[in-house]
């Protein structure tokens, strides 16, 4: 039950409360560039969600098994050369950025080839966005969050498992899709408006995005309220522990 | 200890590189998509304007359709017959001679010719104005809000003095304006010659009613069809048979032009040197930019 | 063949005419995220300058070895190396700032500015030109960040770089520090820069014709 509550709250958090675009400011470039039409926006959103999930899977696996301090594979390999105590202290987190970007670039390439072969109609609708996603901040950002939840926790038992990591990534992509589609709808309406010349294009998009961000700020506090509803026992024990 | 970390790090990176190379190499072979080499050749032969005039999304889409047999080789209106011949050569087929298609605007009324116009304060597009009753008296003719102008990628159609006017020097015949017009008064016809005869009216009402709403609209008097057999009449409006149109009928056509009481049948197309000479001294027509000030724009706020 | 710009031209272009944020609209993610305060913004500008300079130099050195379809991946890996160095440096010597900037330092890896400069300039021109281009673009980026951060910090907290600028009675416009304020400030400043640019080009047209 506790696990399900966690998953729901992570999903809600990633999609709405801490929306990747409107709260964390990642993925702004495609947000402004591809949000002209709803069908293009949806295509971009699906592509991002797809790639972000695969990238999260890869980065969680590599971090947990190779990069984290005391990770199984590194410990085993180092065990051949040094004593077991020293092997347990091997810490390869310095490689994290390089490894993540490498994994993202390769997985994007792989996904593009796979989709082109087996789903040609899908490829025609969003295949053109796939190379653009390699430099999308949102993918790397999801990987970094997962990294901080595995390596940055004080208690190793609290390190995120694959389910939580995938939920964060997938629903982060869903949040990105929601934001970019709403923006596309608004921009389609703006086509007919008389916008002053200096603000046309990116200027008015950013101003509309600020109003959208303000609207999404209305979601703050939903997760703590929901936590009280879904897991009142845990909240009570935490409060009594503070007292 | 540091050497263990460094060598492990190097080992991890090398291992990842090798693994990814294997996986991507395998994927490259397994997911190989057969691409016909003729597609590249056809794309090179096409002009590359990506205008959509052929009915496909872009030049590469049309090329793939041609090579897979889904599309005929002479669809590209921008490239014309030379492009069709090149594509036909790549595909190994014969192409029949075809004419370029160009748009004709079947309306001849400028702002001052249209009667019973009212002030319209809605969306400044023809599609929206077409839905509203009473924007102008004639419910068939050009509205002048410029949907066709916005749809043209080649700057070849403009709203001049309220009437959509085609610039045949720039037009490539992609058909975007014909698709954009909500009243369907732009049609694509085969331009067998530099100048073609056109009926510049779409009003199907009887003559008395047309005279109320327009100073230059066709009244359906049928004088043109008496002088030339190319005119057929349908619902008070003449239509020219472009399939049989040819210069043999020239004297008949010129008589029909002269006899039309509304001067609504005209030769349109690229201007001949004689035409250019005739208008050299005239000032250019004024282009009206819509000024959508509302009644509250200039009032002082007394709130 | 148009003549490739010289080092001096690259440097001057990067500051205002081809400003990466206001004219090319690249690198908007850190622009919005770290401009809460001028100190964080300048730290980010310094980090980007270091990474851009080093990446440009290295790319320019190996430019003849690059394979066409692998070059983006190579650029990204070079940049990732320098970003790791920057990140560890900040964590060691400026720990509080490193915590404030958080995940945005690693996001320099996918910052479009750096990849774009590697692609457009460093992979084609000499080391000196690439270095000048990097300094110019980094200068432009810093200028853009400073302008936005100044507006947001002054209006949002009344401070600038921690120094009280506005009187203490100023009701802090907290929204300026939050995400909506970031978008709004960037949008309006972008409009201002576009307006200046329009006026400038109109005047140039009038002078010419």
């Amino acid at each position: 039950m506790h696990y399900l509550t966690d998953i729901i709250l992570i999903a809600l958090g990633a999609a709405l409360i801490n929306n990747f675009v409107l709260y964390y400011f990642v993925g702004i470039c495609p947000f402004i560039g591809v949000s002209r039409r709803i069908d293009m926006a949806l295509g971009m959103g699906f592509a991002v969600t797809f790639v972000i999930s695969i990238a999260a899977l890869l980065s969680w696996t590599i971090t947990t098994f190779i990069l984290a301090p005391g990770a199984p594979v590194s410990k085993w390999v180092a065990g051949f050369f040094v004593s077991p105590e020293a092997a347990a202290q091997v810490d390869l987190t310095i490689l994290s950025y390089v490894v993540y970007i490498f994994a993202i670039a390769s997985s994007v390439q792989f996904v593009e080839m796979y989709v082109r072969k087996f789903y040609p109609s899908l490829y025609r609708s969003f295949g053109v966005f796939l190379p653009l996603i390699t430099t999308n901040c949102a993918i790397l950002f999801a990987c970094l969050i997962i990294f901080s939840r595995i390596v940055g926790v004080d208690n190793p038992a609290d390190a995120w498992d694959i389910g939580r990591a995938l939920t964060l990534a997938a629903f982060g992509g869903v949040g990105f899709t929601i934001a970019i589609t709403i923006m596309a709808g608004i921009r389609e309406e703006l086509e007919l408006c008389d916008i002053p010349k200096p603000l046309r294009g990116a200027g008015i998009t950013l101003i509309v995005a600020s109003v959208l961000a303000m609207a999404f700020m209305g979601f703050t506090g939903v997760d703590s309220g929901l936590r009280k509803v879904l897991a009142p026992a845990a909240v009570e024990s935490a409060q009594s522990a503070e007292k | 200890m540091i050497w263990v970390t460094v060598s492990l790090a190097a080992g991890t990176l090398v291992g990842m590189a090798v693994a990814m190379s294997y996986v991507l190499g395998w994927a490259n072979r397994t997911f190989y998509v057969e691409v016909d080499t003729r597609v590249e050749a056809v794309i090179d032969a096409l002009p590359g304007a990506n205008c959509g005039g052929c009915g496909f999304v872009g030049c590469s889409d049309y090329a793939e359709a041609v090579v897979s047999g889904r599309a005929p080789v002479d669809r590209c209106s921008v490239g014309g017959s030379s492009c069709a011949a090149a594509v036909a050569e790549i595909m190994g087929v014969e192409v029949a001679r075809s004419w370029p298609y160009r748009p004709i605007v079947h309306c001849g009324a400028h702002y001052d010719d249209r009667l019973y116009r009212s002030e319209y304060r809605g969306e400044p597009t023809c599609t929206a104005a077409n839905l509203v009753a009473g924007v102008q008296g004639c419910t068939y003719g050009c509205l002048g809000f410029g949907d066709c102008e916005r749809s043209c990628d080649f700057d070849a159609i403009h709203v001049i003095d309220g009437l959509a006017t085609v610039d045949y020097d720039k037009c490539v015949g992609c058909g975007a304006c014909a698709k954009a017009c909500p009243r369907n008064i732009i049609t694509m016809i085969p331009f067998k010659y530099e100048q073609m005869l056109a009926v510049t009216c779409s009003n199907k009402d009887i003559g008395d009613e047309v005279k109320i709403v327009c100073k230059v609209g066709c009244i359906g008097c049928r004088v043109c069809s008496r002088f030339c057999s190319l005119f057929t009449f349908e619902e008070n409006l003449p239509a020219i048979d472009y399939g049989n149109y040819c210069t043999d009928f020239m004297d008949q056509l010129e008589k029909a032009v002269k006899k039309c009481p509304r001067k609504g049948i005209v030769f349109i197309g690229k201007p001949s040197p004689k035409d250019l000479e005739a208008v050299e001294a005239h000032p250019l027509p004024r282009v009206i930019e819509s000024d959508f000030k509302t009644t509250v724009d200039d009032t002082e706020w007394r709130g | 063949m148009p003549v490739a710009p010289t080092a001096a031209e690259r440097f001057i272009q990067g500051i205002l005419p081809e400003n990466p944020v206001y004219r090319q609209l690249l690198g908007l993610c850190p622009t919005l995220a770290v401009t809460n305060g001028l100190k964080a913004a300048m730290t980010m500008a310094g980090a980007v300058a270091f990474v851009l300079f080093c990446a440009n130099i290295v790319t320019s050195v190996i430019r003849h070895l690059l394979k066409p379809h692998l070059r983006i991946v190579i650029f990204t890996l070079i940049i990732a190396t320098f970003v790791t160095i920057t990140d560890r440096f900040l964590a060691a010597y400026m720990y509080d700032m490193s915590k404030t900037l958080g995940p945005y330092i690693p996001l320099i890896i996918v910052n479009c500015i750096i990849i774009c400069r590697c692609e457009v300039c460093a992979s084609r021109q000499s080391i000196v030109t690439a270095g000048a281009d990097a300094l110019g673009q980094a200068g432009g980026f810093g200028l853009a960040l400073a302008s936005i951060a100044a507006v947001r910090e002054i209006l949002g907290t009344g401070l600038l770089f921690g120094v009280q600028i506005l009187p203490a009675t100023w009701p802090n416009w907290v929204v300026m520090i939050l995400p909506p304020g970031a978008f709004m400030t960037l949008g309006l400043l972008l409009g201002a820069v576009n307006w200046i640019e329009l006026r400038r080009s109109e005047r140039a047209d009038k002078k010419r014709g």
Side-chain angles (χ1 to χ4, degrees):
Chain A
M1 194 56 211
H2 174 69
Y3 189 71
L4 192 59
T5 315
D6 246 5
I7 295 283
I8 294 178
L9 290 170
I10 293 175
L12 218 59
L16 292 175
I17 306 171
N18 299 330
N19 185 294
F20 273 20
V21 179
L22 299 171
Y23 184 83
Y24 282 127
F25 304 114
V26 285
I28 298 283
C29 297
F31 183 66
I32 295 184
V34 186
S35 61
R36 278 260 180 86
R37 285 167 28 198
I38 294 187
D39 51 356
M40 276 169 68
L42 272 175
M44 183 68 169
F46 285 144
V48 166
T49 311
F50 195 39
V51 175
I52 213 176
S53 315
I54 296 180
L57 193 65
L58 269 176
S59 61
W60 183 88
T61 315
I62 296 179
T63 312
T64 311
F65 288 105
I66 303 180
L67 296 181
V73 175
S74 321
K75 202 161 61 169
W76 178 70
V77 172
F80 290 126
F81 303 104
V82 288
S83 64
E85 301 86 43
Q89 284 181 7
V90 164
D91 179 24
L92 286 178
T93 50
I94 194 77
L95 283 183
S96 50
Y97 304 154
V98 178
V99 161
Y100 288 158
I101 205 71
F102 196 56
I104 293 171
S106 319
S107 54
V108 166
Q109 185 77 359
F110 189 84
V111 163
E112 189 189 347
M113 280 193 263
Y114 183 79
V115 169
R116 189 165 182 214
K117 173 84 174 178
F118 292 115
Y119 302 102
S121 50
L122 217 61
Y123 181 74
R124 247 172 286 169
S125 56
F126 76 76
V128 67
F129 297 126
L130 285 172
L132 291 171
I133 296 179
T134 318
T135 57
N136 190 340
C137 312
I139 321 271
L140 189 60
F141 186 74
C143 294
L144 291 171
I145 295 186
I146 295 172
F147 175 79
S148 68
R149 295 278 190 269
I150 299 175
V151 171
V153 287
D154 304 316
N155 185 355
D158 282 338
W160 271 13
D161 63 324
I162 186 68
R164 291 188 172 92
L166 261 181
T167 313
L168 177 95
F171 280 91
V174 167
F176 176 83
T177 312
I178 292 176
I180 202 176
T181 314
I182 296 180
M183 179 57 85
I186 297 177
R187 279 186 89 171
E188 281 192 2
E189 294 285 319
L190 282 179
E191 291 271 310
L192 299 161
C193 294
D194 195 15
I195 302 173
K197 258 202 179 151
L199 284 174
R200 279 187 205 162
I204 195 71
T205 311
L206 287 165
I207 295 177
V208 170
S210 97
V211 178
L212 207 53
M214 249 188 271
F216 270 67
M217 270 169 68
F219 286 117
T220 38
V222 169
D223 54 350
S224 56
L226 211 55
R227 193 185 285 276
K228 281 202 205 114
V229 168
L230 290 175
V235 174
E236 273 176 34
S237 65
Q239 280 179 336
S240 57
E242 273 174 51
K243 288 199 204 109
Chain B
M1 190 58 201
I2 186 127
W3 292 113
V4 178
T5 313
V6 168
S7 46
L8 264 179
T12 312
L13 283 177
V14 169
M16 269 196 78
V18 169
M20 287 303 178
S21 315
Y22 259 113
V23 171
L24 286 176
W26 169 82
N28 203 9
R29 260 178 300 118
T30 323
F31 300 146
Y32 188 66
V33 175
E34 270 291 341
V35 177
D36 201 327
T37 45
R38 290 183 297 178
V39 175
E40 294 265 343
V42 173
I43 293 179
D44 279 332
L46 292 172
N50 283 316
C51 67
C54 50
F56 294 90
V57 174
C59 292
S60 37
D61 205 16
Y62 175 59
E64 279 175 28
V66 165
V67 172
S68 62
R70 281 183 287 139
V73 296
D74 58 352
R75 269 306 169 81
C76 180
S77 40
V78 179
S81 49
S82 58
C83 168
V87 174
E89 206 186 303
I90 297 172
M91 293 300 298
V93 295
E94 293 247 338
V95 61
R97 189 185 184 315
S98 61
W99 293 287
Y101 274 71
R102 293 287 181 266
I104 294 190
V105 178
H106 292 285
C107 181
H110 295 87
Y111 265 150
D112 301 323
D113 302 321
R114 297 176 197 162
L115 306 172
Y116 284 100
R117 277 169 45 229
S118 51
E119 280 190 67
Y120 172 68
R121 297 263 178 223
E123 270 179 27
T125 60
C126 302
T127 330
N130 194 28
L131 300 169
V132 177
V135 176
Q136 65 192 26
C138 175
T139 54
Y140 299 87
C142 177
L143 285 161
F145 286 102
D147 275 10
C148 49
E149 191 173 339
R150 277 187 290 271
S151 71
C152 181
D153 285 330
F154 300 93
D155 195 27
I157 185 167
H158 304 277
V159 174
I160 298 184
D161 218 358
L163 176 64
T165 315
V166 181
D167 181 350
Y168 291 96
D169 286 323
K170 291 192 187 154
C171 178
V172 297
C174 70
C177 55
K179 285 189 210 123
C181 179
R183 288 193 163 176
N184 297 315
I185 59 171
I186 304 183
T187 57
M188 304 297 289
I189 61 158
F191 256 53
K192 298 181 184 177
Y193 309 98
E194 289 269 301
Q195 302 199 333
M196 300 281 283
L197 197 68
V199 174
T200 55
C201 184
S202 309
N203 198 321
K204 300 195 175 106
D205 294 339
I206 59 172
D208 290 335
E209 294 180 12
V210 175
K211 277 198 196 154
I212 297 174
V213 296
C214 180
K215 290 188 198 165
V216 296
C218 171
I219 51 175
C221 64
R222 290 170 158 76
V223 163
C224 48
S225 64
R226 260 194 279 137
F227 283 94
C228 178
S229 54
L230 284 176
F231 288 91
T232 53
F233 255 80
E234 208 187 291
E235 287 189 59
N236 305 304
L237 199 62
I240 297 179
D241 177 11
Y242 288 107
N244 291 321
Y245 184 98
C246 92
T247 39
D248 297 344
F249 294 90
M250 193 45 85
D251 46 338
Q252 287 187 22
L253 294 171
E254 280 180 353
K255 241 191 246 153
V257 169
K258 233 186 348 173
K259 289 290 180 180
C260 174
R262 307 286 268 179
K263 299 282 167 280
I265 308 180
V266 289
F267 278 102
I268 55 159
K270 289 212 185 113
S272 64
K274 204 172 50 144
D275 298 325
L276 289 172
E277 243 184 75
V279 295
E280 238 173 53
H282 288 208
L284 290 172
R286 68 194 176 108
V287 176
I288 295 203
E289 300 256 332
S290 33
D291 174 20
F292 278 87
K293 268 187 171 193
T294 60
T295 46
V296 297
D297 274 341
D298 285 338
T299 50
E300 286 185 25
W301 177 242
R302 290 177 227 279
Chain C
M1 254 299 265
V3 179
T6 63
E9 278 171 16
R10 284 277 191 212
F11 180 74
I12 304 282
Q13 287 286 92
I15 306 213
L16 280 182
E18 274 179 28
N19 188 298
V21 173
Y22 285 132
R23 309 249 76 227
Q24 297 180 64
L25 292 177
L26 300 174
L28 296 177
C29 302
T31 311
L32 292 163
V34 307
T35 43
N36 281 346
L38 199 51
K39 188 154 181 245
M42 290 296 98
T43 315
M44 171 61 82
V48 169
F50 171 70
V51 175
L52 183 54
F53 186 72
C54 299
N56 259 17
I57 300 286
V58 173
T59 309
S60 185
V61 167
I62 64 166
R63 67 182 183 276
H64 296 297
L65 302 167
L66 294 169
K67 298 271 176 285
H69 46 272
L70 282 181
R71 61 184 199 292
I72 303 280
V73 183
I74 304 281
F75 296 154
T76 324
L77 290 172
I78 296 174
I79 297 168
T81 318
F82 286 112
V83 168
T84 312
I85 298 174
T86 314
D87 181 49
R88 293 294 96 204
F89 177 86
L90 278 176
Y93 291 107
M94 298 170 81
Y95 187 66
D96 299 319
M97 197 43 61
S98 165
K99 274 272 168 276
T100 316
L101 290 174
Y104 296 104
I105 295 286
L107 285 179
I108 299 178
I109 302 175
V110 286
N111 192 329
C112 310
I113 300 178
I114 310 184
I115 296 184
C116 195
R117 294 335 289 174
C118 282
E119 164 76 22
V120 166
C121 174
S123 61
R124 291 175 203 184
Q125 294 188 276
S126 68
I127 301 179
V128 176
T129 319
D133 179 63
L135 289 175
Q137 291 284 325
F141 186 64
L143 212 64
L145 281 189
S147 55
I148 300 172
V151 169
R152 284 181 75 190
E153 196 179 358
I154 292 180
L155 290 177
T157 59
L159 312 165
L160 186 67
F161 234 106
V163 175
Q164 191 85 18
I165 299 275
L166 294 177
T169 49
W170 172 258
N172 295 336
W173 294 5
V174 182
V175 74
M176 297 304 282
I177 315 184
L178 298 170
F183 285 113
M184 182 74 80
T185 315
L186 181 60
L188 291 174
L189 280 176
L190 194 60
V193 170
N194 282 348
W195 182 74
I196 296 174
E197 184 60 33
L198 271 171
R199 287 278 298 269
R200 200 190 57 82
S201 62
E202 269 172 29
R203 237 176 281 142
D205 281 341
K206 244 184 265 180
K207 236 190 278 177
R208 227 186 302 139

